[in-house]
Amino acid sequence: MNRGSTAIIRLLALCLGATLTLAPVQAAPRRDAALEAQLLAHIRVLASEEFQGREPGTEGEAKTLRYLGRQWFEIGLVSGTNDPGHEWFAPVTLIAREADSSAAQFTRKGRRQYVPRDAVLALTSGKRSLVKDAPLLFVGRGAGPAPSRNELAGRVALLLDGGLDDSQRQNALLAAGASAVLTVLDGDRTLENVAARRKRSGYALASDEIGGDLEAFITPYGMERLLHGSGKSLANLKADAARPDFVPQQLDLGATLEATTRETTIRTHNLIGKIPGRRPDTGAVLFVAHWDHFGICGEPPAEDVTCNGAIDNASGLAALTEIARRVVRAPQLDRDIYFLATTAEELGLLGAHAFAENPPLPLKQIVAAFNIDSVAIAPAGSPLAIVGRGMTPLDARIAQVAKREKRRLIDGDAANAYVKRQDGWALLQHDIPAVMVTSAYSDLARMEKFFEGDYHRPSDDLNRSLELGGAGEDVAFHVALARYFGDSRRVPPTRM
Ligand SMILES: [Zn+2]
């Protein structure tokens, strides 16, 4: 559909409205087939095998940024880095830290206590961490308040596994002064699980401080060996920990733990474009979508080894690009409208953090930021949810735009359960009012189905059916958001 035919349809709609006075007044969302075709065309390129899963620092990054940069240039955007040395592409340096070596030795009453080598894994968040001959303090399941600094200082806290939320309890113990935390795995988790999980979270911005936390894990069998001859068993420890009057116990065991990592530097980029406003002194509006994904993520003999990220987040990039095209075509706005394609979202929202730490404009000037992630999910006619509802001053204004656009907004904040899993969260940490307004999260059961299925797997690719009805309507809504928030009379510059 082009502009001419839109006008004809509007005319038809007017005629029908005039003749059929009993027709319902509620305007059904109109699908825009041409827009959906444009979205699909971008997704077909960005999620193609040629783009190799868009991994930061690879040829896949070069292809992705070249494609998006050219699209944005041709649409009429200008560079938004505001840095003549780095037009369009803002450099981001990442450090990937991979576990290199792990060693553990235990003593009881000064004598070596045998534990098999493969029963313990020590990991550090820094380059090298060492704890020598530290006494073990058994802290049970780590429920309740952490032991005092006095009790923990210079000791290794011995913790019973509590599942995936362990990192929080480990961090609390480290923050409270423990030299290291040694977690006894339960039957469900293996050392391989722990290592694999760590591999995925071992990335940081080069500008971030290096941590030196030492965390170790021991298998149930290793723990039995460690307790051998002490008169206690793992079952005894578990029973103690379950008592309501449990208090941390010092064991007559000492540990020497050492872990080292290997560092790799990855040079990657955020892409930043903008549409200059008439009155940039009144601030800016920011639209965001992450460009990165997991690259080659499988191993033979699997046939499909590329995580193409069609929904996550080729769909968001497609939407971002088509929003830009439509805002360029509209009359010039007061504010600068920035378009940011972030790197390393999948590695911990790192590109968004880098943007905020080294921004192309004072962050206070950003009156609103809208993130777009994994939008090829909902059918046309879906309502909109706000991820980050109640966390910014934007909600009431978004509701006004929804009313004008005849879009239904979901009540309640159930979608906030996902707020930390998207770039808007990183921006919120830097006091940028950032939300995700999206049809994708209007039905959380449908979104969960994606999370449990193709999400972060090679099957999030072009072979699956892509639902673009909701995405098309979301593009139209974001264009309306740009026009509303880009108008300095309607949204006065309050934060500058
Ligand atoms: Zn993802």
Side-chain angles (χ1 to χ4, degrees):
M1 191 186 293
N2 58 32
R3 292 180 134 200
S5 57
T6 310
I8 290 166
I9 285 177
R10 285 225 184 90
L11 195 64
L12 273 172
L14 277 176
C15 298
L16 287 171
T19 49
L20 302 171
T21 45
L22 292 177
V25 285
Q26 171 141 30
R30 237 188 349 248
R31 288 187 76 160
D32 183 338
L35 165 55
E36 286 179 35
Q38 283 171 309
L39 293 175
L40 185 59
H42 293 305
I43 296 170
R44 282 225 167 101
V45 174
L46 293 162
S48 66
E49 281 299 312
E50 201 197 325
F51 280 57
Q52 298 169 21
R54 303 187 305 278
E55 188 179 2
T58 68
E59 184 59 22
E61 163 165 358
K63 286 184 171 157
T64 303
L65 293 182
R66 210 176 300 140
Y67 176 79
L68 287 174
R70 169 168 296 177
Q71 289 286 327
W72 292 11
F73 176 79
E74 285 174 359
I75 284 170
L77 270 60
V78 298
S79 165
T81 59
N82 301 330
D83 174 358
H86 295 106
E87 290 225 324
W88 295 94
F89 306 106
V92 176
T93 306
L94 309 177
I95 301 287
R97 213 165 269 120
E98 250 181 287
D100 190 26
S101 72
S102 155
Q105 273 183 22
F106 298 92
T107 53
R108 190 155 60 82
K109 299 193 172 115
R111 296 181 60 174
R112 180 89 180 266
Q113 182 79 7
Y114 170 75
V115 174
R117 264 178 85 88
D118 60 0
V120 185
L121 174 69
L123 297 164
T124 176
S125 56
K127 286 183 183 168
R128 171 176 184 261
S129 289
L130 172 70
V131 171
K132 242 184 144 152
D133 289 328
L136 252 54
L137 181 75
F138 177 52
V139 298
R141 299 202 167 271
S148 71
R149 189 162 279 275
N150 254 346
E151 276 181 291
L152 280 170
R155 296 194 169 132
V156 172
L158 180 70
L159 178 71
L160 293 177
D161 199 359
L164 291 177
D165 66 336
D166 255 359
S167 61
Q168 271 179 20
R169 296 182 308 146
Q170 286 159 354
N171 290 342
L173 289 162
L174 291 164
S179 295
V181 178
L182 176 62
T183 301
V184 188
L185 296 180
D186 64 20
D188 299 342
R189 272 210 302 178
T190 64
L191 292 178
E192 286 73 29
N193 296 151
V194 172
R197 198 176 153 80
R198 175 58 75 106
K199 204 169 172 189
R200 268 176 282 140
S201 62
Y203 293 84
L205 292 177
S207 54
D208 286 352
E209 267 177 52
I210 292 186
D213 292 344
L214 185 55
E215 290 164 58
F217 299 84
I218 185 166
T219 63
Y221 174 71
M223 194 62 219
E224 295 289 7
R225 294 299 315 175
L226 181 53
L227 292 167
H228 186 76
S230 71
K232 269 192 184 281
S233 67
L234 180 53
N236 293 148
L237 292 187
K238 285 183 176 170
D240 287 351
R243 293 166 60 110
D245 58 348
F246 172 79
V247 288
Q249 320 168 351
Q250 174 141 9
L251 306 176
D252 63 351
L253 290 165
T256 296
L257 302 167
E258 184 183 13
T260 63
T261 55
R262 229 182 357 251
E263 271 188 16
T264 314
T265 300
I266 300 171
R267 292 186 196 288
T268 179
H269 304 82
N270 285 332
L271 170 64
I272 314 175
K274 77 175 168 188
I275 302 169
R278 275 182 311 213
R279 297 188 51 204
D281 57 305
T282 60
V285 180
L286 174 64
F287 291 91
V288 187
H290 76 86
W291 64 254
D292 68 302
H293 202 53
F294 290 105
I296 308 299
C297 61
E299 276 169 26
E303 256 169 52
D304 186 1
V305 294
T306 312
C307 275
N308 305 83
I311 291 179
D312 181 11
N313 187 27
S315 69
L317 294 170
L320 186 67
T321 302
E322 292 311 313
I323 293 163
R325 190 192 308 281
R326 282 154 184 78
V327 177
V328 167
R329 278 187 199 154
Q332 192 181 24
L333 295 163
D334 293 337
R335 297 196 161 98
D336 286 343
I337 311 293
Y338 280 80
F339 293 85
L340 165 65
T342 53
T343 182
E345 187 270 354
E346 305 285 16
L347 305 176
L349 318 182
L350 298 176
H353 278 295
F355 171 86
E357 281 168 21
N358 195 6
L361 74 168
L363 294 183
K364 280 196 164 74
Q365 291 186 9
I366 301 174
V367 296
F370 301 98
N371 186 34
I372 304 157
D373 198 344
S374 303
V375 285
I377 295 280
S382 298
L384 291 162
I386 300 178
V387 181
R389 194 178 140 112
M391 299 180 181
T392 70
L394 305 178
D395 295 354
R397 296 191 187 280
I398 294 168
Q400 276 180 34
V401 180
K403 203 170 162 198
R404 292 158 63 114
E405 296 293 309
K406 299 192 168 59
R407 294 292 303 274
R408 190 163 79 77
L409 269 181
I410 296 268
D411 290 329
D413 52 12
N416 282 0
Y418 303 88
V419 72
K420 294 186 183 176
R421 289 170 63 166
Q422 47 92 33
D423 271 341
W425 179 250
L427 303 178
L428 273 172
Q429 305 312 296
H430 294 268
D431 291 328
I432 301 169
V435 289
M436 219 164 41
V437 189
T438 169
S439 59
Y441 285 83
S442 61
D443 177 344
L444 296 180
R446 188 180 49 216
M447 199 67 198
E448 272 303 326
K449 221 175 124 196
F450 169 59
F451 286 141
E452 282 156 23
D454 296 336
Y455 172 72
H456 288 187
R457 296 210 170 95
S459 52
D460 177 10
D461 64 11
L462 298 169
N463 291 324
R464 58 165 293 144
S465 67
L466 293 166
E467 171 58 73
L468 293 170
E473 291 172 356
D474 286 7
V475 167
F477 190 72
H478 280 73
V479 174
L481 287 172
R483 298 182 71 163
Y484 189 92
F485 283 90
D487 183 336
S488 64
R489 278 160 310 162
R490 225 181 249 144
V491 181
T494 50
R495 297 168 10 101
M496 281 182 273

